[in-house]
């Protein structure tokens, strides 16, 4: 059978041609699936993309099919339904991929019933700073070290990050303490070097619709955490993810990080409804960022818990050993290490009640005695 590549899918979408999906019955055999694929491809001008789930198989019809094909397929044995996908995002749609995507990065699974916590500073500052924070993230039970080497700032005179040197620092700290690493990439030119040092690449809110960057990220296999633009609709957000998927990179995570509203008390308004909405529309893992979503330290903990209760697959949280003197000036939204450890301990108790698996490798509480709230 023919399996259409992501590049071919992108080409068909560019022409404005439709995609239909065939949903099979649970009892269908591989032989019957092959017969359905053969019928589809005899139609001419179309290709079949087979996606096997735990209960059902979905066959995507890529190209411009004859009007009678859908009804023909509905009458075939083993077919439960045939649906036209009218959404502009195809590969990100749960219609096309009904099962949750689970991204496995060196044994850490993101998606499905797993809960992952990413923690660290807004920016990498010094080798000593990122090493100490990595130690504390690991001790608290976090799985991923976050830190920016290149920082997009509103003002041109603000601290912009330490560049490639910061990537090296974070990679060394992550390796030393057994953590994955995530860092923001801002331009297509830096994708390859960031992917060389980091396990996950983050696309910030300002770059959600930087289509040149998204296309470049589609050419690699490094997982991408795509943050929602601060004024983006769900449809715009998922179409941004589609750019990466269509380029050939299936390892995409969606991140709700707050949207801009009329409220000024918080930095942004964390849209908790986005979590279940995105999970109903898409199969991609959904991560919540309560740090940027609120901009206030005292709100990070309750909104982190609320995000998990809403179904989030993970959290990305700012934590710093000296927030008040951080070089980015974002310390007001950064947790102290003992606050971070306390939150993860409570999440460990909360997760099973919500059907989540959160396996931590915590250090004794004494490791955090020096840090006071």
């Amino acid at each position: 059978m023919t399996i259409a590549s992501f590049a071919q899918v992108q080409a068909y979408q560019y022409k404005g041609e439709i995609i239909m999906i065939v949903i099979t019955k649970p009892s269908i055999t591989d032989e019957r699936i092959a017969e359905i694929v053969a019928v589809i491809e005899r139609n001419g001008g179309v290709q079949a993309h087979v996606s096997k789930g735990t209960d059902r198989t979905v066959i995507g019809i890529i190209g411009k099919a004859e009007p009678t094909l859908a009804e023909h397929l509905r009458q075939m044995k083993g077919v439960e339904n045939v649906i036209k996908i009218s959404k502009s995002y195809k590969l990100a749609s749960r219609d096309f991929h009904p099962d949750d995507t689970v991204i496995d990065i060196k044994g850490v699974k993101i998606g499905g019933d797993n809960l992952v916590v990413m923690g660290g500073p807004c920016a990498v500052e010094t080798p000593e700073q990122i090493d100490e924070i990595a130690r504390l993230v690991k001790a608290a039970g976090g799985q991923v070290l976050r830190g920016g080497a290149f920082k997009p700032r509103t003002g041109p005179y603000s601290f912009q990050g330490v560049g490639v040197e910061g990537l090296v620092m974070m990679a060394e700290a992550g390796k030393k303490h057994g953590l994955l690493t995530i860092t923001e990439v801002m331009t297509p030119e830096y994708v390859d070097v960031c992917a060389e040092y980091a396990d996950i690449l983050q696309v910030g809110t300002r770059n959600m619709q930087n289509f040149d960057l998204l296309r470049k990220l589609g050419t690699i296999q490094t997982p991408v955490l795509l943050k929602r633009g601060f004024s983006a609709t769900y449809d715009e957000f998922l179409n941004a993810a589609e750019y990466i998927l269509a380029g050939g990179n299936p390892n995409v995570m969606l991140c709700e990080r707050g949207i801009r509203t009329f409220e000024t008390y918080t930095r942004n308004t964390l849209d908790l409804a986005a979590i279940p909405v995105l999970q109903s529309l898409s199969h991609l893992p959904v991560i919540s960022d309560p740090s940027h979503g609120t901009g206030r330290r005292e709100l990070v903990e309750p909104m982190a818990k609320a995000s998990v209760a809403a179904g989030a697959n993970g959290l990305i949280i700012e934590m710093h050993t000296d927030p008040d003197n951080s070089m980015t000036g974002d310390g007001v939204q950064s947790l102290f290490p003992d606050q971070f450890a306390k939150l993860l301990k409570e999440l460990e108790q909360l997760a099973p009640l919500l059907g989540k698996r959160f396996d931590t490798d915590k250090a004794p509480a004494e490791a955090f005695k020096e840090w006071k709230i």
Side-chain angles (χ1 to χ4, degrees), residues 33-141:
I33 291 171
E35 291 174 11
I36 295 170
V37 168
V39 169
I40 292 169
E41 296 188 340
R42 281 202 301 269
N43 188 255
V46 296
Q47 292 178 306
H49 178 99
V50 179
S51 177
K52 290 190 176 182
T54 54
D55 296 322
R56 288 172 171 78
T57 294
V58 174
I59 306 171
I61 302 173
I62 303 167
K64 193 169 185 178
E66 293 294 330
T68 57
L69 179 60
E71 190 56 38
H72 183 184
L73 291 170
R74 285 192 184 96
Q75 305 303 318
M76 292 187 69
K77 184 178 179 182
V79 172
E80 187 170 282
N81 200 3
V82 179
I83 303 171
K84 283 186 179 180
I85 301 182
S86 58
K87 300 182 181 73
S88 53
Y89 52 90
K90 313 293 185 182
L91 302 175
S93 171
R94 191 172 283 279
D95 292 338
F96 192 65
H97 192 299
D99 292 331
D100 292 340
T101 285
V102 178
I103 302 171
D104 191 325
I105 313 172
K106 299 178 181 177
V108 176
K109 295 181 179 180
I110 304 176
D113 296 331
N114 305 288
L115 179 65
V116 65
V117 174
M118 309 174 188
C122 179
V124 179
E125 298 170 10
T126 66
E128 295 77 18
Q129 172 243 20
I130 196 64
D131 180 77
E132 175 66 356
I133 291 176
R135 180 183 74 83
L136 292 166
V137 169
K138 180 67 174 181

Side-chain angles (χ1 to χ4, degrees), residues 2-251:
T2 302
I3 304 298
S5 69
F6 283 100
Q8 289 169 321
V9 173
Q10 184 184 38
Y12 280 114
Q13 290 171 321
Y14 180 79
K15 295 175 184 176
E17 297 176 357
I18 63 169
I19 292 182
M20 288 191 298
I21 59 171
V22 178
I23 302 174
T24 69
K25 294 181 179 179
S27 58
I28 195 166
T29 63
D30 289 342
E31 291 75 17
R32 191 60 184 159
I33 291 171
E35 291 174 11
I36 295 170
V37 168
V39 169
I40 292 169
E41 296 188 340
R42 281 202 301 269
N43 188 255
V46 296
Q47 292 178 306
H49 178 99
V50 179
S51 177
K52 290 190 176 182
T54 54
D55 296 322
R56 288 172 171 78
T57 294
V58 174
I59 306 171
I61 302 173
I62 303 167
K64 193 169 185 178
E66 293 294 330
T68 57
L69 179 60
E71 190 56 38
H72 183 184
L73 291 170
R74 285 192 184 96
Q75 305 303 318
M76 292 187 69
K77 184 178 179 182
V79 172
E80 187 170 282
N81 200 3
V82 179
I83 303 171
K84 283 186 179 180
I85 301 182
S86 58
K87 300 182 181 73
S88 53
Y89 52 90
K90 313 293 185 182
L91 302 175
S93 171
R94 191 172 283 279
D95 292 338
F96 192 65
H97 192 299
D99 292 331
D100 292 340
T101 285
V102 178
I103 302 171
D104 191 325
I105 313 172
K106 299 178 181 177
V108 176
K109 295 181 179 180
I110 304 176
D113 296 331
N114 305 288
L115 179 65
V116 65
V117 174
M118 309 174 188
C122 179
V124 179
E125 298 170 10
T126 66
E128 295 77 18
Q129 172 243 20
I130 196 64
D131 180 77
E132 175 66 356
I133 291 176
R135 180 183 74 83
L136 292 166
V137 169
K138 180 67 174 181
Q143 300 104 320
V144 185
L145 174 66
R146 62 155 294 165
F150 303 91
K151 297 301 300 177
R153 307 305 301 278
T154 301
Y157 307 116
S158 301
F159 174 64
Q160 306 287 320
V162 295
V164 176
E165 186 180 354
L167 295 175
V168 176
M169 294 178 198
M170 190 166 66
E172 291 177 348
K175 184 176 181 180
K176 177 180 176 181
H177 297 284
L179 294 167
L180 299 178
T181 57
I182 177 172
T183 196
E184 183 168 355
V185 60
M186 294 170 54
T187 65
E189 293 77 19
Y190 277 98
V191 167
D192 291 334
V193 68
C194 287
E196 180 181 351
Y197 289 103
D199 297 298
I200 306 169
L201 301 185
Q202 173 186 306
V203 175
T205 184
R206 293 172 178 85
N207 277 313
M208 188 206 81
Q209 289 185 312
N210 181 341
F211 300 121
D212 287 340
L213 175 60
L214 301 180
R215 287 190 186 96
K216 176 63 177 177
L217 290 167
T219 67
I220 63 174
Q221 293 298 298
T222 303
V224 176
L225 178 77
L226 178 65
K227 286 197 167 186
R228 182 184 180 187
F230 50 68
S231 297
T233 64
Y234 301 143
D235 187 79
E236 290 167 339
F237 190 20
L238 290 168
N239 272 290
E242 191 79 3
Y243 270 87
I244 304 172
L245 296 170
N249 186 351
N251 303 309

Side-chain angles (χ1 to χ4, degrees), residues 225-285:
L225 178 77
L226 178 65
K227 286 197 167 186
R228 182 184 180 187
F230 50 68
S231 297
T233 64
Y234 301 143
D235 187 79
E236 290 167 339
F237 190 20
L238 290 168
N239 272 290
E242 191 79 3
Y243 270 87
I244 304 172
L245 296 170
N249 186 351
N251 303 309
V252 179
M253 296 164 255
L254 306 172
C255 182
E256 166 57 37
R257 48 79 65 203
I259 55 175
R260 179 172 289 176
T261 68
F262 55 82
E263 184 54 66
T264 58
Y265 183 81
T266 53
R267 178 176 179 176
N268 296 291
T269 297
L270 187 64
D271 182 9
L272 286 177
I275 298 169
V277 168
L278 291 171
Q279 289 176 332
S280 69
L281 296 174
S282 177
H283 53 92
L284 301 173

